[in-house]
């Protein structure tokens, strides 16, 4: 199993770069950041520094979207980084949450997302695409360039698109039941599309907080990670609005917990002090995140690996960022790689 580290592009950017260097030394293979340029700094500028100061780490957004940048700009950004540092980028893409909602927009349709994933991959790998009735190709992309495009998804139509088209599937929660359910949906869609289901990389991303197995420590860890249930709840609310509260198309294990949700304040998006996440119960934090002693983390990771997960990406948006990277490097990654 590979391991990734997910950070927000908070200033100073030098701290993000430094922690990514630490992560590479600890055995992490991927370094991810949010891509929401009003709330945080521009990630592609930071990727250039991370790539320059590491040697093997692969970087990318978790996730970008089809709306905040022209597709040719996105493709050229990735192609430029790959030309400078070798093929060490991954394009994670989704419909868009804070990046499009904070400036007053709405998430992309799945049709547009599919078109964007195709265009960005083709252009970044040097092939021609049709855009706005014009044939476009980036002429300076070297032959053999590669850009994996991974897609974040939860709902049935999104899972089908990920399996049919994406190089990888990003699931932002670590609940074993839901992971198994959604990995099966993605692989079934890949097989129906004539693809090798095993060729679709599966990445589970969630907060990890290592602490003692006692009530006080666990309560603190849950409070530090409760924001994640609120973030996932934004996407779940979209699914409930589309499919209904008790639809057989979406597992109730995913949707039931947002019944008490009353809006969301993006000013605290992805932060431990988010006041909009009081509706998230402890049970969801325990299911969606990895919390507790190292042995608890290893047990969950083994379960996820058995479900076909290729990478676990650690969301480090809490008060123990450095220690979780170090602990994973010392006590988790050597046993799981």
């Amino acid at each position: 199993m590979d391991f990734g580290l997910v950070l927000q592009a908070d200033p100073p950017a030098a701290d993000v770069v430094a922690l990514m260097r630490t992560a590479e030394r600890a055995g992490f293979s991927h370094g991810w950041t949010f891509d929401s340029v009003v709330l945080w700094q521009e990630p592609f500028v930071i990727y250039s520094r991370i790539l320059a100061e590491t040697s093997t780490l692969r970087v990318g957004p978790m996730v970008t979207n089809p709306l905040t940048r022209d597709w040719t700009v996105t493709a050229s950004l990735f192609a430029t980084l790959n030309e400078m540092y070798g093929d060490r980028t991954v394009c994670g893409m989704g419909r868009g949450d804070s990046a499009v909602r904070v400036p007053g927009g709405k998430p992309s349709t799945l049709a547009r997302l599919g078109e964007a994933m195709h265009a960005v991959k083709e252009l970044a790998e040097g092939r021609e695409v049709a855009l706005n009735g014009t044939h476009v190709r980036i002429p300076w992309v070297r032959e053999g360039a590669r850009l994996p495009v991974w897609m974040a998804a939860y709902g049935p139509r999104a899972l089908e698109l990920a399996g049919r088209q994406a190089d990888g599937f990003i699931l932002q929660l670590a609940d074993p039941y839901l992971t198994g359910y959604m990995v099966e949906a993605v692989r079934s869609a890949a097989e129906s599309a004539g693809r090798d289901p095993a060729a679709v990389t599966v990445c589970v991303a969630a907060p990890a907080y290592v602490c003692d197995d006692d009530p006080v420590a666990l309560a603190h860890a849950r409070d530090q990670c409760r924001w994640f249930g609120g973030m996932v709840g934004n996407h779940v609310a979209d699914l409930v609005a589309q499919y209904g509260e008790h639809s057989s198309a979406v597992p109730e294990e995913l949707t039931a917990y947002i019944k008490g949700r009353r809006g969301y304040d993006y000013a605290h998006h992805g932060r431990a002090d988010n006041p909009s996440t009081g509706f998230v119960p402890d049970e969801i934090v325990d299911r969606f995140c990895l919390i507790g002693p190292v042995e608890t983390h290893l047990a969950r990771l083994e379960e996820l690996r058995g479900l076909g997960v290729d990478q676990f990406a650690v969301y480090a948006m809490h008060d123990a960022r450095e220690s979780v990277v170090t602990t994973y490097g010392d006590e988790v990654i050597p046993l799981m790689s």
Side-chain angles (χ1 to χ4, degrees):
M1 178 182 278
D2 287 336
F3 287 84
L5 176 65
V6 191
L7 300 176
Q8 293 162 341
D10 278 318
D15 287 355
V16 177
V17 176
L19 193 50
M20 289 297 187
R21 287 199 308 267
T22 300
E24 182 184 61
R25 291 194 298 269
F28 287 78
S29 62
H30 288 68
W32 305 92
T33 73
F34 283 25
D35 178 19
S36 189
V37 296
V38 174
L39 297 180
W40 297 288
Q41 294 180 319
E42 168 55 54
F44 285 91
V45 177
I46 300 172
Y47 297 155
S48 188
R49 283 290 302 277
I50 294 171
L51 290 166
E53 298 189 25
T54 58
S55 58
T56 61
L57 199 71
R58 296 179 179 271
V59 304
M62 189 175 282
V63 292
T64 192
N65 67 84
L67 302 175
T68 54
R69 296 182 184 86
D70 185 271
W71 302 345
T72 60
V73 173
T74 302
S76 186
L77 285 167
F78 280 109
T80 300
L81 292 172
N82 284 342
E83 190 278 327
M84 294 174 69
Y85 303 106
D87 291 340
R88 291 171 54 202
T89 64
V90 180
C91 176
M93 191 173 287
R95 294 176 59 233
D97 183 24
S98 65
V100 295
R101 285 177 160 133
V102 167
K106 295 181 179 179
S108 165
T109 64
L110 286 175
R112 186 171 179 83
L113 174 56
E115 292 170 359
M117 290 194 301
H118 172 76
V120 168
K121 182 175 179 66
E122 295 296 294
L123 289 169
E125 294 185 346
R127 293 183 290 274
E128 183 178 272
V129 297
L131 295 175
N132 304 314
T134 301
H135 292 284
V136 179
R137 184 176 70 86
I138 301 177
W140 49 262
V141 174
R142 59 177 170 75
E143 185 177 353
R146 290 291 177 264
L147 176 66
V149 176
W150 297 4
M151 178 182 160
Y154 293 106
R157 291 177 56 238
L159 294 169
E160 191 278 332
L161 175 59
R164 172 163 44 90
Q165 182 176 337
D167 298 310
F169 163 49
I170 297 171
L171 176 59
Q172 291 167 313
L173 53 80
D175 174 76
Y177 171 78
L178 292 172
T179 298
Y181 177 96
M182 294 184 187
V183 169
E184 175 59 30
V186 167
R187 290 191 166 154
S188 177
E191 186 172 16
S192 296
R195 307 177 67 198
D196 177 5
V200 181
T201 302
V202 176
C203 174
V204 160
Y209 199 105
V210 182
C211 66
D212 292 335
D213 189 15
D214 70 66
V216 174
L218 290 170
H220 178 75
R222 290 184 183 111
D223 285 344
Q224 286 292 306
C225 297
R226 200 175 307 277
W227 64 267
F228 183 68
M231 184 187 80
V232 173
N234 295 330
H235 305 286
V236 176
D238 287 345
L239 292 176
V240 170
Q242 180 176 1
Y243 293 101
E245 192 171 338
H246 301 290
S247 171
S248 60
V250 184
E252 191 169 353
E253 289 84 353
L254 177 63
T255 61
Y257 85 97
I258 70 161
K259 289 179 181 178
R261 181 180 182 270
R262 299 291 182 268
Y264 187 83
D265 182 1
Y266 280 95
H268 301 272
H269 186 54
R271 301 192 184 279
D273 62 352
N274 192 327
S276 304
T277 59
F279 70 93
V280 180
D282 288 352
E283 179 215 356
I284 289 294
V285 181
D286 291 345
R287 281 174 45 201
F288 285 13
C289 307
L290 271 65
I291 290 172
V294 167
E295 292 75 17
T296 300
H297 290 244
L298 289 170
R300 178 75 67 85
L301 290 168
E302 285 286 7
E303 191 172 6
L304 293 172
R305 179 159 62 180
L307 294 169
V309 174
D310 301 295
Q311 179 181 148
F312 179 66
V314 175
Y315 273 107
M317 293 90 188
H318 49 56
D319 63 2
R321 295 195 317 167
E322 291 78 9
S323 67
V324 77
V325 170
T326 301
T327 302
Y328 261 62
D330 290 343
E331 302 182 51
V332 175
I333 293 176
L335 298 178
M336 296 296 303
S337 298

